[in-house]
Amino acid sequence: MKISLTTRLVMIMVLSVFFSSLVSIFFVSSVTMNRVRLMNSRRDSNIASVVADTLTAAAEKGQLEQTLRTMSMRRNGQGMMEGRMGMMPPRDNGRNQVLPLRPLVVPEGDELIPLIVTDANGAILQGEYRVPGEGSARHSLTPEEYRQGEPFLSDGEVAGYVLAGNQAGQAEGFVDLYHMSSLFHSILLYPILSALCASLLGVVLLRRTLRPLKSLHRGVQTLQKGEYGFRVEIPRSKLGIEDDLTLLSRGFNDMAESLEASEVWKKQIISDTAHELRTPVSLIMGNLEMILDGVYKADRGRLESLYRETRSLADLVRNLQLLASEESGSRRSEVEDFSLSALVESAAADFRALALQKSIEVSLESDSDIFFEGDRQKTKQVIGNLMTNALRHTPESGRITLRCRRAKNNIYVDVEDSGLGIPEELREKIFNRFFKIDKSRSSEGSGLGLSISRIIIENQGGTIEALQGESGGALLRISFPCKKI
């Protein structure tokens, strides 16, 4: 069973919202219920205090017994005696004032606050005390129970206590339970409704936000089929801020573009390699067939011709292997500090003998003591490729100049010939694989030497470029940053 990322995220979001809502409900309900109980306790204490003040004032006038007898009492449906005295006016500073008793009016039905009056020893004078949780009635209270109430005085001594509401043994009155239940339902309902609304809104926004992932999934499937031209739509933010999905989409398109270019290169390299191999292979096969058919004799001249073609074919294969190893980085590099000026002088001396065969002069212009940190053998190979290329394109009685110099923070190695030069629009293309300016003039080359040279130089942190020389010929320049002076 497969579950999409969108479904997983939606499930995680919904569960998180509902879990946080339940936690909020628990804490809010706990705090709210405690606050309600505290308010009820203060209400009961206030009622008891007001009634106690009234009884104290009546005792001072000798009307305590009369006041107790005239307190209007009634029973509710459960047989509990409840005083019809309710919320009294606030306690006055003058304790001699008799405060009138007013019935408690509760908005919900006619449920009243239970009220108990005891004497100084806890005997119940008015009202009824039922044990919480048991329902049995008692006619006296323990000191721990009646001392929770408010005392009233007679002749300067405590004559009794007044207990109201919870103090009178009723844990929660009907009205209190009704209000607390309604409050709890509200606390429970609103967070759940909010969680539902938040979940619905979150699902809509999440699906819209993750929509690019579906496009990326289609893109991956398309790339697996080898269709590298597919591009995903890059989501755009109205605020101009690129999020992770935008960067991911952009990265996917870059990857697809790279794969497409790699595929084009692969097809091109296969085509070019087949084209380059076709000529020597065809010549070798054609000559061998003629020899087998008796048309040609297998004399020395014919065998030498076949050997040259075979050697050209071997050189091409070797250069292809070298190019592949340099591009992949699998060819090992031996980094060392060496004298670049001495390496250039050695290359000039090595090619003078070959240049004399075409009456070409090789001159050297080099600063002394120029050191470079890199691969000596590969650098020598690059200079040899440039010199071979210059010899191939320099006419007889021409001139090749090899320079090595330091300027500012760079080291330059120039190979300049007196040939026809390189047109400006082709100076970058000559570093492409198998590229030849004039195939008739460069039939001896494979078109891979400059490609290999560029990769070797760039792998050592340098650059190579084609320019026009002072004499109008080609100038190939290698540039390295100075690492050691």
Side-chain angles (χ1 to χ4, degrees), residues 225-472:
K225 298 177 182 178
E227 301 175 10
Y228 301 112
F230 182 85
R231 300 293 184 272
V232 300
E233 182 180 357
I234 298 178
R236 301 183 181 276
S237 173
K238 295 182 179 180
L239 300 177
I241 301 175
E242 292 189 352
D243 56 12
D244 292 340
L245 289 177
T246 301
L247 297 177
L248 183 61
S249 301
R250 197 182 303 279
F252 176 88
N253 287 342
D254 293 340
M255 179 190 67
E257 184 177 351
S258 177
L259 290 174
E260 185 178 22
S262 178
E263 182 68 14
V264 172
W265 173 84
K266 182 175 70 174
K267 293 179 180 179
Q268 185 65 38
I269 197 70
I270 293 174
S271 175
D272 293 342
T273 302
H275 176 75
E276 293 295 328
L277 293 175
R278 186 182 299 115
T279 300
V281 170
S282 298
L283 288 174
I284 293 172
M285 290 182 62
N287 279 276
L288 289 176
E289 287 178 359
M290 291 296 183
I291 291 175
L292 292 175
D293 292 340
V295 178
Y296 293 150
K297 293 182 180 181
D299 54 11
R300 184 179 180 84
R302 186 65 58 186
L303 293 176
E304 287 180 350
S305 176
L306 291 174
Y307 175 75
R308 285 194 299 270
E309 293 298 333
T310 305
R311 187 177 62 183
S312 176
L313 183 61
D315 290 341
L316 177 60
V317 174
R318 184 174 62 254
N319 285 334
L320 284 172
Q321 291 177 335
L322 181 60
L323 180 63
S325 62
E326 287 293 339
E327 287 185 334
S328 63
S330 60
R331 188 183 179 193
R332 184 179 179 183
S333 296
E334 298 290 343
V335 179
E336 59 179 320
D337 288 332
F338 64 91
S339 174
L340 187 59
S341 55
L343 185 65
V344 170
E345 292 175 6
S346 175
D350 292 341
F351 279 88
R352 279 196 176 97
L354 295 175
L356 288 176
Q357 297 178 7
K358 295 178 62 176
S359 301
I360 296 175
E361 178 185 357
V362 176
S363 62
L364 175 66
E365 301 175 5
S366 175
D367 297 339
S368 60
D369 298 330
I370 298 180
F371 289 87
F372 175 67
E373 183 180 358
D375 192 309
R376 178 188 179 92
Q377 190 61 35
K378 290 184 179 181
T379 305
K380 182 179 180 180
Q381 178 185 352
V382 171
I383 296 176
N385 287 344
L386 299 186
M387 290 295 294
T388 301
N389 191 70
L391 284 173
R392 187 179 297 128
H393 294 88
T394 302
E396 293 186 2
S397 302
R399 179 186 179 91
I400 297 176
T401 304
L402 184 59
R403 303 186 186 92
C404 181
R405 59 191 176 87
R406 183 189 299 112
K408 295 183 179 180
N409 295 324
N410 291 317
I411 299 173
Y412 297 100
V413 177
D414 295 342
V415 178
E416 182 180 354
D417 62 55
S418 59
L420 298 177
I422 305 172
E424 185 175 358
E425 65 274 10
L426 300 179
R427 290 175 187 170
E428 184 63 28
K429 293 182 179 181
I430 64 171
F431 297 100
N432 296 340
R433 304 167 184 85
F434 301 113
F435 183 82
K436 297 178 182 178
I437 297 178
D438 186 353
K439 294 184 180 294
S440 64
R441 211 164 59 87
S442 58
S443 58
E444 297 180 1
S446 63
L448 294 175
L450 291 179
S451 299
I452 296 172
S453 298
R454 165 170 276 188
I455 295 174
I456 291 176
I457 295 300
E458 289 180 348
N459 287 343
Q460 297 186 83
T463 59
I464 183 171
E465 57 183 339
L467 304 171
Q468 183 177 3
E470 296 179 359
S471 61

Side-chain angles (χ1 to χ4, degrees), residues 13-21 188-204:
M13 183 197 65
V14 172
L15 290 176
S16 299
V17 169
F18 274 91
F19 178 76
S20 60
S21 298
L188 181 64
L189 178 62
Y190 294 143
I192 292 179
L193 290 178
S194 300
L196 287 174
C197 295
S199 299
L200 292 176
L201 180 61
V203 168
V204 173

Side-chain angles (χ1 to χ4, degrees), residues 80-116:
M80 180 181 292
M81 296 300 295
E82 296 179 338
R84 298 192 65 87
M85 291 168 286
M87 292 295 295
M88 303 300 177
R91 184 183 305 185
D92 198 290
N93 293 332
R95 298 182 63 87
N96 295 327
Q97 180 181 2
V98 178
L99 301 179
L101 303 180
R102 295 183 298 179
L104 173 64
V105 180
V106 181
E108 305 294 339
D110 60 348
E111 182 77 11
L112 301 177
I113 301 298
L115 187 68
I116 294 177

Side-chain angles (χ1 to χ4, degrees), residues 32-159:
T32 303
M33 296 306 175
N34 289 335
R35 292 293 179 89
V36 169
R37 290 188 178 95
L38 180 60
M39 291 175 60
N40 290 343
S41 177
R42 291 177 178 175
R43 175 204 63 189
D44 297 341
S45 179
N46 187 37
I47 292 175
S49 177
V50 172
V51 174
D53 287 348
T54 303
L55 294 177
T56 299
E60 291 178 354
K61 293 186 178 182
Q63 301 175 356
L64 178 58
E65 294 182 1
Q66 181 182 356
T67 302
L68 289 175
R69 284 195 303 270
T70 57
M71 289 177 64
S72 176
M73 309 296 290
R74 74 177 182 87
R75 291 183 179 272
N76 62 6
Q78 298 177 353
M80 180 181 292
M81 296 300 295
E82 296 179 338
R84 298 192 65 87
M85 291 168 286
M87 292 295 295
M88 303 300 177
R91 184 183 305 185
D92 198 290
N93 293 332
R95 298 182 63 87
N96 295 327
Q97 180 181 2
V98 178
L99 301 179
L101 303 180
R102 295 183 298 179
L104 173 64
V105 180
V106 181
E108 305 294 339
D110 60 348
E111 182 77 11
L112 301 177
I113 301 298
L115 187 68
I116 294 177
V117 180
T118 71
D119 60 13
N121 297 318
I124 298 177
L125 302 178
Q126 294 288 354
E128 188 177 44
Y129 182 86
R130 291 184 175 273
V131 180
E134 297 180 3
S136 59
R138 294 216 319 255
H139 301 289
S140 63
L141 303 179
T142 64
E144 290 78 11
E145 292 172 339
Y146 65 73
R147 286 175 182 172
Q148 295 179 3
E150 292 291 331
F152 61 91
L153 307 179
S154 177
D155 298 330
E157 296 181 356
V158 175

